[in-house]
Amino acid sequence: MTHQIASSQRGTLWRAALTESLTKLSPRVQYRNPVMFVVYLGSILTTLLAVGMALGWSEGQLGFTAAISLWLWFTVLFANFAEALAEGRSKAQAESLKGITRTNWAKKLSGPEPESAQQKVAADSLRKGDYVRVDAGDIIPCDGEVLAGALPWMKARLPVSLHQ
């Protein structure tokens, strides 16, 4: 099932992810991901080296060091942004699914025979001892014991010991 995000929501989501990606620059947050923490430390170190070269405190190629520093910062910020965007999308999807309630229906039988009279009831109203009929293509409404019928798909999903 695919959910499309409205363009107004998308803009809000991107702004929130951008803000969140900047707040994730905290060392406490970066420490949780070892790989990105190493990149984070490397970006700090190369930035300090570039600043030192610019001020004349150390020797080296300022342009190259600054370029490497920028690439490392871009990597850290992009990783934070991607993570924040994914978190924002999952939160938005969870919020949109909270309001959805779906009722599954069951064909409740009056007795254990497959040809007994049937009545359409909500699946959550079924109780222990009720009999239901499930035809091809139906959603299985609850856990239970199969009394009659053929279930060829079940053999592949059950342990071998149950079929012996």
Side-chain angles (χ1 to χ4, degrees), residues 7 33 38 72 75 86 90 104 138 143 145 148:
S7 62
N33 185 345
V38 170
L72 290 173
T75 304
S90 64
N104 290 327
D138 288 351
D143 290 340
E145 183 179 338

Side-chain angles (χ1 to χ4, degrees), residues 28-152:
R28 287 186 202 109
V29 175
Q30 292 296 317
Y31 185 72
R32 293 183 202 149
N33 185 345
V35 173
M36 289 313 299
F37 184 64
V38 170
V39 176
Y40 176 71
L41 291 177
S43 61
I44 292 172
L45 178 66
T46 56
T47 301
L48 292 175
L49 285 172
V51 168
M53 288 176 196
L55 296 175
W57 296 341
S58 65
E59 294 182 18
Q61 296 179 353
L62 175 61
F64 179 74
T65 306
I68 295 296
S69 179
L70 286 174
W71 274 111
L72 290 173
W73 280 114
F74 173 75
T75 304
V76 170
L77 287 171
F78 183 77
N80 287 347
F81 178 75
E83 183 181 1
L85 189 61
E87 288 173 359
R89 283 185 177 171
S90 64
K91 287 178 185 176
Q93 188 173 15
E95 284 297 318
S96 71
L97 292 176
K98 281 184 182 177
I100 297 176
T101 56
R102 181 172 176 211
T103 302
N104 290 327
W105 297 96
K107 298 173 196 167
K108 183 177 177 182
L109 299 175
S110 59
E113 298 81 26
E115 301 307 321
S116 300
Q118 60 187 17
Q119 177 184 4
K120 186 176 177 181
V121 297
D124 56 357
S125 70
L126 294 172
R127 298 291 173 248
K128 185 176 182 178
D130 288 345
Y131 296 95
V132 297
R133 179 183 178 99
V134 180
D135 294 319
D138 288 351
I139 294 175
I140 298 175
C142 59
D143 290 340
E145 183 179 338
V146 177
L147 298 178
L151 300 171

